Amino acid sequence: MRKVCVLGGGMTIFRRRLQETGKEMSYEATKMALEEAGLELKDVDSVVMGSAPDAFDGIHMKGENLLDGAGGAGKPYLRVFVGGGTAVFTPIAGWWHIASGMADVCLVVAEEKMSSVFPHPQSAFGHIWDPILDRPLKPNLVWIFAMEMNRYMTVHGIKKEDIARVAVKNKRNALDHPCAQLAANLTIDDVLNSEMMAWPVQRLDISPPSDGASAMILASEEVAKKLTDDLVYLDGAGWCIDSTMWTDRDLYFPEYVAGAAKMAYKMAKIENPRKEIDVAEPYDPFDYKELHHMEGLLLCDKGEAPILTREGVTERDGDLPVCPSGGLLGVGNPIAATMGIKACEIYWQLAGKAGKRQVPNDPQVGICQAWGDLMQYGSVLIMRRG
C-alpha cells in the first residue's frame, strides 16, 4: 500500500437551521480545504462524500444531490454512510483511494443538515429500529443511551459529577473554536442541575443537533512532498461493527471500538497506546461517551477514564489532551460533518495549525474515533507527523 498524507482541512460553522443548503455548505468546506492544501478542484482525482440518512435532508439519494457542491461532478465519486461512525469512516474511504493507487489526490467531504427534519431530528431515528422486536416499545436514542450510561456508571461505581466534568471541559475548550455552537463556561453544578431527559441523562450531558460540513484533502506521499515539508500521515485505520441486537451486549464496554482500535494500532505499529498517543479526539455526543470511548480505544483501563478526567490528565495542557477541539458537546453534532472536529482537528493539531486550541509539547501522534448505528459501530484513524 502507498503512504497517504493530509494536505488540508476545512469546516463551516456548526449551527441549527443554517440558511445554506447542503450543497452550499459542502462547497464552503471544500473551498477552505483546497485553499489550505494549495490545490484546485482540477487537481483532485476522486471525491468521497459522507452523510447520514437521507431522511435528514429530506432528499432520497442525497449523495447524488450533494455531489455538485462537493466537486464530484465528472470524477470518480462515492458516498459512504455508517451512522455517526461516518465522521471518521469517510476519510478512511478516502485513504483507500490513495493507498490502493487508484488516485493521487482525493477530496473527502462530509455534510449534515439535521434541521430539515421537523419537529426534531429525533423523529428520523424512529425508523431505525427493528419493526417487530424494538419499534412496539417506541424507543428513542436518549433513553437507549441512558441505559448504556447507567450500566457504565453501575459497573464501575462512577459518580455523576465525574461524568459532568467532561461536559464542562469540552464546552470550555469550544470557546476557542470559531465554528462552535454551544461553547460555554459551565460548572459541574450547572450540568447536574440541568433538565432531566431520561435518568441519568440530563440536558447538558447531550450534544446539540446541528447543520454543517467539513472537508479534507488526502494525497499520496509523492504528491504531498512536492507541496510541503511538514507531512502528516494517515498511519493506521480500523473499523468494526457488532450485532444489531444491542439487547444481547453488555453495554458497559464498547467491544466494537476496541476491535477497530486494535486494527488501527496494528497498522500503525503502536503497542502501548497510552504512552504513544499524544492527542485524542474520541466521539463525544454524550459526556459519558468520551469516557466510554477512551476505554474502548485502550487509552486507559476499564473504569479509569473518569479518574484521569478528574486528575486533569485530559485537559488541553494535560498529559493526554482529549477533545481539545471542544468536541461534539461544545462545537456541535452535525453527524457526518463532525469529521471537522475529529479527523481535521487531529490533522491541525499535528500540523501545528490549531491556533488557540493547539495542545503543547509538539504532538507527533494523534487518534480520532467515531461511533454510530445502534451503539454497534466504531471507526478509528491514527495520524503521525512525518
Side-chain angles (χ1 to χ4, degrees), residues 55-261:
F56 281 157
D57 285 44
I59 301 173
H60 188 49
M61 299 173 67
K62 98 173 169 182
E64 285 77 352
N65 176 265
L66 294 170
L67 73 86
D68 292 322
K75 298 181 184 295
Y77 176 81
L78 169 72
R79 177 195 176 189
V80 295
F81 165 56
V82 284
T86 308
V88 169
F89 186 74
T90 308
I92 290 175
W95 166 76
W96 294 340
H97 286 67
I98 308 294
S100 66
M102 295 294 291
D104 287 323
V105 178
C106 181
L107 165 62
V108 179
V109 187
E111 179 273 352
E112 216 70 75
K113 190 167 180 62
M114 303 174 73
S115 64
S116 302
V117 185
F118 290 101
H120 190 278
Q122 188 68 236
S123 59
F125 290 121
H127 302 280
I128 67 175
W129 309 101
D130 185 283
I132 296 174
L133 298 176
D134 294 331
R135 211 171 296 177
L137 300 174
K138 298 182 179 180
N140 68 62
L141 292 184
V142 174
W143 71 251
I144 289 289
F145 299 146
M147 286 196 294
E148 185 179 69
M149 180 174 174
N150 186 16
R151 179 63 179 159
Y152 176 62
M153 293 172 64
T154 300
V155 168
H156 297 302
I158 297 168
K159 296 180 180 178
K160 183 70 193 297
E161 50 262 43
D162 280 336
I163 290 178
R165 292 179 202 279
V166 175
V168 172
K169 171 179 69 71
N170 289 4
K171 288 179 179 292
R172 185 178 62 241
N173 284 347
L175 289 168
D176 294 325
H177 203 301
C179 301
Q181 179 177 355
L182 281 183
N185 257 323
L186 299 178
T187 65
I188 292 174
D189 284 343
D190 290 332
V191 180
L192 298 181
N193 292 327
S194 62
E195 177 187 359
M196 184 61 71
M197 307 298 291
W199 192 90
V201 175
Q202 293 175 262
R203 173 74 67 182
L204 291 177
D205 293 316
I206 309 177
S207 60
S210 313
D211 301 340
S214 58
M216 293 183 77
I217 306 296
L218 307 183
S220 66
E221 182 183 41
E222 182 181 16
V223 169
K225 283 185 173 178
K226 295 177 181 177
L227 296 170
T228 181
D229 294 328
D230 299 320
L231 298 177
V232 174
Y233 291 90
L234 298 190
D235 210 33
W239 57 99
C240 183
I241 192 165
D242 208 331
S243 163
T244 54
M245 301 310 299
W246 56 273
T247 50
D248 293 348
R249 287 184 254 130
D250 192 330
L251 301 177
Y252 90 101
F253 183 75
E255 295 284 356
Y256 44 91
V257 173

Side-chain angles (χ1 to χ4, degrees), residues 3-23:
K3 292 184 176 180
V4 181
C5 299
V6 187
L7 287 177
M11 63 184 285
T12 68
I13 60 170
F14 287 178
R15 290 289 187 277
R16 183 154 163 74
R17 301 188 187 283
L18 287 175
Q19 293 185 349
E20 291 84 357
T21 66
K23 285 186 181 184

